[in-house]
Amino acid sequence: MCGIVGFVGYEGDALPFLLEGLKRLEYRGYDSAGIALAQPGRIAVSKAQGKLAVLEQSLQSMPQGIPCGIGHTRWATHGRPTDENAHPHTDCQGVIAVAHNGIIENFQELRDELEASGHQFRSETDTEVIPHLLEVYGGADDLVAAVRQAEKRLKGAYAFLAISAQKPDIIVAVRRSSPLVVGLGEGVNYVASDVSAFLAHTRQAQVLENGDLAVISPGRIQVTDAHGHKRNPKTLTVDWDIRQAERGGYEHFMLKEIMEQPDVWSDCLLSRIHEDKVVVGEMGLTAKLLEGIHRIQVVAAGTAYHAGLVGKALIERLARVPVDVSVASEFRYQEPVLDPGTLVMAISQSGETADTLASMHMAQDEGFPVYSIVNTVGSTLARDSNYVGYTHAGPEIAVASTKAYTTQLLVLTMVALALAENRGRARPDLVRSLLALPKAGQKVLEDLEHIQEMAARLAEHSDVFYIGRGIDYALAMEGQLKIKEIAYIHAEAYAAGEMKHGTLALIEEGTPVVAIVTERAVAEKSISNILEVKARGAEVWAILDNKLGRRVPVDHVLPVPVPDPLLVPVLAALPLQLLAYWTAVTRGQDVDQPRNLAKSVTVE
Ligand code: AGP
C-alpha cells in the first residue's frame, strides 16, 4: 500500500521532514515517490519513479523554508510506476496538490466527465481525478468546502491529503478506509499513513476514523465525521519503537500481513462484484476470451502453485473447464502439449519468478495467450502477459506468502464464477457470499486466540503430516510449505485417502498430524482417515468445519465456518498460517527472513 506524510507549521521547512517521513515508510514497499510544497501562489512538486534516492536528486530545485507540504510513496495499482504516475498530483492550474492511498473505484467515469469539460490529465492514475474535482469545486479559494463536495463524488477505499497554494497553512485529510493518523507537535502538526513517519518528533497521536475529514493547521486539528458532525478524537501516547511502528505494533511483518487479510480481501473484491455477478473487465478478462477457453494450464511456483491447485478444483467444479496445474520449473522443460483453446494462467506475487516468466514466454512463443494473476503492478509478468488480473494485496514484506496467497484464491474464485456464468452455470448465491468473506475472516482470526498453545505442542516435533481430501488436500500442500519454510520442521502433505497405501507405516505414538476437513462431500471419509491415524497413536490438530463440532475425536480443534466448501479455502488458510507462524515463534526462528530463502526467486 502507498505511504502518505504531511507537515504544517507556523514556520520551519517541511521538506526535510517529508523526506525523512517517507524514508520511515519505505518498509511498506513502493515503486515511485514525490513531494509537494504549498508555496504561496503555486504548488512546488518534485516526483520520480524508483526509490527515494532518485527523488532526493531532484529536491535541490525545490524551494526552501516552506512550512506546509505533503509527500507520498506509491505502490502502483492503476497505472505503471512512472514519473508521471507518481504522486502528488495537481489540478490544471497547479495550485492544488493531492497524495492518495487506496482505490478510487469510479475514477474512469469521473475522468471522462472532467476531460469532457476540458481538464488536462497527465497520468494514468485513478488519483488524478481528485485534484481536478477540487478545482471544479473551487478548491483554490476554499479547499475545505471543495474537499467536502468532491468527497461525495468518490467511491472506493482510500485516504488522501490535499494542500492549496492559496491557503498554504492547512492540510485537509480525508479517511474513507485506508489508515491516517495525526501527530501533534508544538507549533507544527503532522499527518501520515502510520505513526512511524513522525514518531521521531512526537508520540502524541490522534487516529482518524473512517469517514473523518480533518483540517490540520499548525496549532489546531478540526475533525468532522462522515455526517459532518464535529468529532474530538482521543489523543494517544504511542509507546512503540520505530520498528514496532513499521509493523503496526505486531512482532513480525508476517503476523501483520496475516491479520490484515480481511481488509486486504475487501480491497481485492472491490469493484469486482456487481448485482451478484463478477465484473469480467475488472478481472483483466473479456467475455470473448472466456468463450474461447476450452482448457486452462496453470504455471506457478511455491505458494502460488498451491493456489493454482485450489483454482483447479474451483474452475472444474463450477465451470466444468479442465485445468492442469504445473510447477513452472517443470513445465518449462517438459515440452508440454497444449491443446488449441488453452489459456495459460501464470500466478505470481512478485511477477518476477524466473521459472514462471520463462513458462509464460514459452507458451506465448507457441501462440497461446497468457493470463497472469499477479500482485506487483508493473512487474515483468504483468507487463508481458496478454491479460492480467491484480490481487491488490499490497506489498508483502515477509518472505512467507500469506495475504498474496489468499487474494490469489479470491481472484481464482472470481475467475471460476465468471467462467461458470459464461457457460450458463451462474452461481449468484456464491458471488453474493464472497462479499461476506472479509467479515467471516475477521471472526476466524478472533476465535483463534488459543492457537499459540496448540503451536507450542507442534513446535516440539521435527516431522509432521498434513492430510486432506479434495480442496483440503490442496490446502494441506500450502500448510506444509508454511511450517517448513519458517519453523524449519519437515512436513509432508498427503491425500488422506492415500495414507493406508504405505505412509500409514510411519504413524506411531505421538506422530503429529494436521488434518483439514472442510470438504463436506467427503467429510466422513476424512474423519475415517483421522480415526486411522488416531488408532495408531497420532496426535491430531484439525482445521475443522465448525458444523462438525465434537463429532471428530481430535486433540486440537481449529474451527472454521464453511459458508460453502468452494468459498472456505481463504478461511481455512488463516489457521494454517497462524499455526506455522506461532510454531516458528516458539522455536525462535527468524520468521520474516527465513534462512536460505528470498522473497522473489528471480534466478533459475
Ligand atoms: C511462499 O511462502 C514462498 N515464499 C515461495 O514459495 C513463493 O510462493 C514462490 O517463490 C513464488 O513466488 P511468486 O509468487 O512471487 O512467483
Side-chain angles (χ1 to χ4, degrees), residues 301-304 347-353 356 399-401 408 478 481-482 485 598-601:
T303 287
I347 306 173
S348 174
Q349 186 286 129
S350 63
E352 300 299 345
T353 298
T356 308
V399 166
S401 188
Q408 287 162 0
E478 175 57 11
L481 176 62
K482 284 280 131 343
E485 66 177 330
K599 182 59 187 169
S600 176
V601 183

mmCIF file of all heavy atoms in Angstrom, residues 301-304 347-353 356 399-401 408 478 481-482 485 598-601, ligand 1:
data_model
loop_
_atom_site.group_PDB
_atom_site.id
_atom_site.type_symbol
_atom_site.label_atom_id
_atom_site.label_comp_id
_atom_site.label_asym_id
_atom_site.label_seq_id
_atom_site.Cartn_x
_atom_site.Cartn_y
_atom_site.Cartn_z
ATOM 1 N N ALA A 301 4.863 -21.187 -8.978
ATOM 2 C CA ALA A 301 5.870 -21.786 -8.098
ATOM 3 C C ALA A 301 5.420 -21.634 -6.652
ATOM 4 O O ALA A 301 4.651 -20.729 -6.329
ATOM 5 C CB ALA A 301 7.214 -21.078 -8.307
ATOM 6 N N GLY A 302 5.873 -22.540 -5.811
ATOM 7 C CA GLY A 302 5.670 -22.421 -4.374
ATOM 8 C C GLY A 302 4.217 -22.221 -3.989
ATOM 9 O O GLY A 302 3.322 -22.927 -4.460
ATOM 10 N N THR A 303 3.994 -21.213 -3.167
ATOM 11 C CA THR A 303 2.643 -20.942 -2.676
ATOM 12 C C THR A 303 1.682 -20.646 -3.814
ATOM 13 O O THR A 303 0.519 -21.045 -3.799
ATOM 14 C CB THR A 303 2.699 -19.777 -1.681
ATOM 15 O OG1 THR A 303 3.292 -20.251 -0.466
ATOM 16 C CG2 THR A 303 1.339 -19.210 -1.380
ATOM 17 N N ALA A 304 2.185 -19.943 -4.840
ATOM 18 C CA ALA A 304 1.321 -19.620 -5.988
ATOM 19 C C ALA A 304 0.868 -20.897 -6.680
ATOM 20 O O ALA A 304 -0.263 -20.994 -7.170
ATOM 21 C CB ALA A 304 2.069 -18.705 -6.958
ATOM 22 N N ILE A 347 0.509 -17.575 -12.207
ATOM 23 C CA ILE A 347 0.188 -16.978 -10.895
ATOM 24 C C ILE A 347 1.496 -16.612 -10.188
ATOM 25 O O ILE A 347 2.419 -17.432 -10.104
ATOM 26 C CB ILE A 347 -0.604 -17.962 -10.011
ATOM 27 C CG1 ILE A 347 -1.847 -18.471 -10.751
ATOM 28 C CG2 ILE A 347 -1.015 -17.296 -8.693
ATOM 29 C CD1 ILE A 347 -2.599 -19.576 -10.005
ATOM 30 N N SER A 348 1.583 -15.388 -9.703
ATOM 31 C CA SER A 348 2.828 -14.957 -9.054
ATOM 32 C C SER A 348 2.602 -13.702 -8.217
ATOM 33 O O SER A 348 1.998 -12.745 -8.690
ATOM 34 C CB SER A 348 3.885 -14.646 -10.113
ATOM 35 O OG SER A 348 5.055 -14.104 -9.513
ATOM 36 N N GLN A 349 3.087 -13.676 -6.988
ATOM 37 C CA GLN A 349 3.016 -12.472 -6.156
ATOM 38 C C GLN A 349 3.946 -11.390 -6.692
ATOM 39 O O GLN A 349 3.509 -10.292 -6.969
ATOM 40 C CB GLN A 349 3.402 -12.825 -4.714
ATOM 41 C CG GLN A 349 3.238 -11.731 -3.688
ATOM 42 C CD GLN A 349 4.299 -10.618 -3.763
ATOM 43 O OE1 GLN A 349 3.943 -9.459 -3.807
ATOM 44 N NE2 GLN A 349 5.589 -10.954 -3.825
ATOM 45 N N SER A 350 5.201 -11.771 -6.933
ATOM 46 C CA SER A 350 6.224 -10.791 -7.335
ATOM 47 C C SER A 350 6.127 -10.426 -8.815
ATOM 48 O O SER A 350 6.518 -9.351 -9.240
ATOM 49 C CB SER A 350 7.618 -11.355 -7.067
ATOM 50 O OG SER A 350 7.808 -12.520 -7.886
ATOM 51 N N GLY A 351 5.659 -11.396 -9.624
ATOM 52 C CA GLY A 351 5.673 -11.172 -11.065
ATOM 53 C C GLY A 351 7.068 -11.204 -11.648
ATOM 54 O O GLY A 351 7.288 -10.749 -12.768
ATOM 55 N N GLU A 352 8.019 -11.727 -10.871
ATOM 56 C CA GLU A 352 9.428 -11.755 -11.342
ATOM 57 C C GLU A 352 10.062 -13.138 -11.191
ATOM 58 O O GLU A 352 11.244 -13.291 -11.412
ATOM 59 C CB GLU A 352 10.261 -10.743 -10.542
ATOM 60 C CG GLU A 352 9.803 -9.290 -10.650
ATOM 61 C CD GLU A 352 9.844 -8.728 -12.081
ATOM 62 O OE1 GLU A 352 10.494 -9.364 -12.956
ATOM 63 O OE2 GLU A 352 9.221 -7.686 -12.349
ATOM 64 N N THR A 353 9.299 -14.150 -10.817
ATOM 65 C CA THR A 353 9.853 -15.504 -10.642
ATOM 66 C C THR A 353 10.328 -16.043 -11.985
ATOM 67 O O THR A 353 9.529 -16.166 -12.925
ATOM 68 C CB THR A 353 8.797 -16.423 -10.016
ATOM 69 O OG1 THR A 353 8.461 -15.899 -8.731
ATOM 70 C CG2 THR A 353 9.302 -17.847 -9.867
ATOM 71 N N THR A 356 8.500 -18.945 -13.765
ATOM 72 C CA THR A 356 7.135 -18.595 -14.189
ATOM 73 C C THR A 356 7.185 -17.691 -15.417
ATOM 74 O O THR A 356 6.419 -17.860 -16.370
ATOM 75 C CB THR A 356 6.383 -17.908 -13.033
ATOM 76 O OG1 THR A 356 6.488 -18.733 -11.855
ATOM 77 C CG2 THR A 356 4.916 -17.675 -13.358
ATOM 78 N N VAL A 399 8.874 -13.026 3.783
ATOM 79 C CA VAL A 399 9.205 -13.980 2.703
ATOM 80 C C VAL A 399 8.086 -15.004 2.550
ATOM 81 O O VAL A 399 7.707 -15.382 1.445
ATOM 82 C CB VAL A 399 10.549 -14.673 2.994
ATOM 83 C CG1 VAL A 399 10.743 -15.887 2.097
ATOM 84 C CG2 VAL A 399 11.700 -13.692 2.816
ATOM 85 N N ALA A 400 7.545 -15.474 3.656
ATOM 86 C CA ALA A 400 6.474 -16.479 3.583
ATOM 87 C C ALA A 400 5.185 -15.793 3.152
ATOM 88 O O ALA A 400 4.728 -14.851 3.779
ATOM 89 C CB ALA A 400 6.275 -17.143 4.931
ATOM 90 N N SER A 401 4.609 -16.287 2.071
ATOM 91 C CA SER A 401 3.444 -15.633 1.490
ATOM 92 C C SER A 401 2.170 -15.988 2.249
ATOM 93 O O SER A 401 1.920 -17.151 2.543
ATOM 94 C CB SER A 401 3.314 -16.082 0.031
ATOM 95 O OG SER A 401 2.310 -15.344 -0.613
ATOM 96 N N GLN A 408 -4.880 -14.485 -4.153
ATOM 97 C CA GLN A 408 -4.832 -15.320 -5.367
ATOM 98 C C GLN A 408 -6.050 -16.255 -5.392
ATOM 99 O O GLN A 408 -6.707 -16.431 -6.426
ATOM 100 C CB GLN A 408 -3.537 -16.135 -5.411
ATOM 101 C CG GLN A 408 -2.292 -15.311 -5.732
ATOM 102 C CD GLN A 408 -0.991 -16.010 -5.365
ATOM 103 O OE1 GLN A 408 -0.987 -17.148 -4.848
ATOM 104 N NE2 GLN A 408 0.123 -15.344 -5.589
ATOM 105 N N GLU A 478 -0.258 -26.243 1.023
ATOM 106 C CA GLU A 478 0.198 -24.905 1.443
ATOM 107 C C GLU A 478 0.579 -24.919 2.915
ATOM 108 O O GLU A 478 1.585 -24.324 3.320
ATOM 109 C CB GLU A 478 -0.882 -23.859 1.167
ATOM 110 C CG GLU A 478 -0.577 -22.467 1.666
ATOM 111 C CD GLU A 478 0.726 -21.883 1.103
ATOM 112 O OE1 GLU A 478 1.312 -22.437 0.168
ATOM 113 O OE2 GLU A 478 1.179 -20.870 1.651
ATOM 114 N N LEU A 481 4.077 -26.272 3.425
ATOM 115 C CA LEU A 481 5.148 -25.371 2.989
ATOM 116 C C LEU A 481 5.384 -24.285 4.037
ATOM 117 O O LEU A 481 6.513 -23.962 4.381
ATOM 118 C CB LEU A 481 4.797 -24.729 1.649
ATOM 119 C CG LEU A 481 5.808 -23.693 1.153
ATOM 120 C CD1 LEU A 481 7.167 -24.324 0.914
ATOM 121 C CD2 LEU A 481 5.314 -22.999 -0.106
ATOM 122 N N LYS A 482 4.331 -23.752 4.575
ATOM 123 C CA LYS A 482 4.469 -22.677 5.567
ATOM 124 C C LYS A 482 5.319 -23.124 6.756
ATOM 125 O O LYS A 482 6.232 -22.448 7.181
ATOM 126 C CB LYS A 482 3.072 -22.243 6.054
ATOM 127 C CG LYS A 482 2.328 -21.391 5.049
ATOM 128 C CD LYS A 482 2.794 -19.982 5.102
ATOM 129 C CE LYS A 482 3.161 -19.249 3.855
ATOM 130 N NZ LYS A 482 3.427 -19.844 2.638
ATOM 131 N N GLU A 485 9.024 -23.654 5.797
ATOM 132 C CA GLU A 485 9.867 -22.510 5.424
ATOM 133 C C GLU A 485 10.103 -21.538 6.577
ATOM 134 O O GLU A 485 11.071 -20.791 6.552
ATOM 135 C CB GLU A 485 9.304 -21.775 4.207
ATOM 136 C CG GLU A 485 7.986 -21.082 4.395
ATOM 137 C CD GLU A 485 7.577 -20.335 3.121
ATOM 138 O OE1 GLU A 485 8.441 -19.872 2.364
ATOM 139 O OE2 GLU A 485 6.366 -20.223 2.884
ATOM 140 N N ALA A 598 14.527 -16.314 -0.456
ATOM 141 C CA ALA A 598 14.388 -14.919 -0.916
ATOM 142 C C ALA A 598 12.911 -14.672 -1.166
ATOM 143 O O ALA A 598 12.148 -15.610 -1.433
ATOM 144 C CB ALA A 598 15.162 -14.730 -2.226
ATOM 145 N N LYS A 599 12.530 -13.427 -1.104
ATOM 146 C CA LYS A 599 11.115 -13.103 -1.325
ATOM 147 C C LYS A 599 10.733 -13.341 -2.781
ATOM 148 O O LYS A 599 9.643 -13.767 -3.078
ATOM 149 C CB LYS A 599 10.831 -11.641 -0.954
ATOM 150 C CG LYS A 599 9.371 -11.234 -1.102
ATOM 151 C CD LYS A 599 8.449 -12.070 -0.237
ATOM 152 C CE LYS A 599 6.982 -11.789 -0.498
ATOM 153 N NZ LYS A 599 6.084 -12.774 0.145
ATOM 154 N N SER A 600 11.662 -13.080 -3.675
ATOM 155 C CA SER A 600 11.346 -13.308 -5.081
ATOM 156 C C SER A 600 12.512 -14.062 -5.713
ATOM 157 O O SER A 600 13.641 -13.584 -5.702
ATOM 158 C CB SER A 600 11.133 -11.960 -5.800
ATOM 159 O OG SER A 600 10.923 -12.209 -7.171
ATOM 160 N N VAL A 601 12.218 -15.247 -6.279
ATOM 161 C CA VAL A 601 13.290 -16.097 -6.832
ATOM 162 C C VAL A 601 13.467 -15.752 -8.302
ATOM 163 O O VAL A 601 12.839 -16.334 -9.184
ATOM 164 C CB VAL A 601 12.927 -17.582 -6.648
ATOM 165 C CG1 VAL A 601 14.079 -18.472 -7.145
ATOM 166 C CG2 VAL A 601 12.627 -17.885 -5.186
HETATM 167 C C1 AGP B 1 5.864 -18.746 -0.350
HETATM 168 O O1 AGP B 1 5.666 -18.722 1.063
HETATM 169 C C2 AGP B 1 7.307 -18.749 -0.731
HETATM 170 N N1 AGP B 1 7.931 -17.565 -0.253
HETATM 171 C C3 AGP B 1 7.566 -19.065 -2.173
HETATM 172 O O2 AGP B 1 7.179 -20.403 -2.361
HETATM 173 C C4 AGP B 1 6.830 -18.228 -3.235
HETATM 174 O O3 AGP B 1 5.448 -18.513 -3.191
HETATM 175 C C5 AGP B 1 7.357 -18.639 -4.617
HETATM 176 O O4 AGP B 1 8.733 -18.307 -4.670
HETATM 177 C C6 AGP B 1 6.629 -17.954 -5.778
HETATM 178 O O5 AGP B 1 6.838 -16.573 -5.699
HETATM 179 P P1 AGP B 1 5.912 -15.630 -6.615
HETATM 180 O O6 AGP B 1 4.515 -15.829 -6.146
HETATM 181 O O7 AGP B 1 6.432 -14.242 -6.369
HETATM 182 O O8 AGP B 1 6.078 -16.069 -8.040
#
